[in-house]
Structure formats: C-alpha cells, structure tokens
Amino acid sequence: MVMGRATKKYTVTLPEEPAEEIRAEVGPGAFSAYVTRAIERQREHDRLEELVGRLEVEYGPVTDADPSAAESGRRGKDSHRSGIRVVTSAMTLAEVTPPSR
C-alpha cells in the first residue's frame, strides 16, 4: 500500500537514466511512492490548467499587469489586519494576538 491506499501493480516504460537516478536517490523501496507523488502533482497541475482555461474563457486572459495588481491588493489587505501574526515553532502554526496597548 502507498500512503494507506489500495495499490495495483502496473507496467510502465520509463526513460532509463532519470528513472535510475531517482531510484538511486530514494532507494528501491521508495521508488513507487516517488512516482505516485509525481503522478499526483501532474494531475493537480492538469486540473489547475483546466481551471485557468475556464476562468480565461469567462474573464479573459491574464495580462502582465494582473499579477502586480493582485499583489498590491494583497499587500493592502495585509497592512490592515488587526495585529494578527503567524508564529512558526517546531512546525506548528499558531495565530497570536499581540497584547492590548
């Protein structure tokens, strides 16, 4: 089982050089998990491409100015947040409100 899910054996043909490099890096026991994660990332990428395509049909293509405008808007919202900070410690995220003044 990979990541707690039922598995099924498949035969695929891969380019030898990158496949052997990956197998050497992750070890033979982790090769299937590595390939599974790569497939999952590709599926996510494909779904995001489909979403972008649908959004572009509805709203038009993204222009070069759009990312800058979105970033400026995000920064404006962040500066108006009411004193909430995110503290990272031992891989745990916690929201902390500073003491009242």
Side-chain angles (χ1 to χ4, degrees):
M1 304 248 308
V2 175
M3 296 182 266
R5 296 181 283 186
T7 62
K8 181 177 179 181
K9 192 170 210 127
Y10 289 91
T11 301
V12 296
T13 303
L14 301 170
E16 183 176 5
E17 187 175 326
E20 291 302 321
E21 287 173 3
I22 291 165
R23 184 182 296 272
E25 289 173 17
V26 301
F31 187 74
S32 290
Y34 185 95
V35 172
T36 298
R37 287 191 309 273
I39 290 168
E40 288 169 343
R41 280 192 306 272
Q42 183 62 47
R43 288 185 69 213
E44 182 178 284
H45 180 81
D46 293 346
R47 287 191 294 269
L48 287 172
E49 276 188 0
E50 289 173 17
L51 174 61
V52 167
R54 289 194 312 264
L55 291 173
E56 285 183 333
V57 166
E58 187 171 340
Y59 298 104
V62 175
T63 66
D64 290 340
D66 290 338
S68 296
E71 181 64 19
S72 295
R74 186 191 67 76
R75 284 190 183 147
K77 286 181 183 176
D78 285 350
S79 65
H80 292 93
R81 293 177 69 187
S82 60
I84 296 176
R85 298 179 295 165
V86 176
V87 178
T88 307
S89 174
M91 299 196 57
T92 301
L93 293 176
E95 290 193 4
V96 177
T97 304
S100 301
R101 294 181 193 183

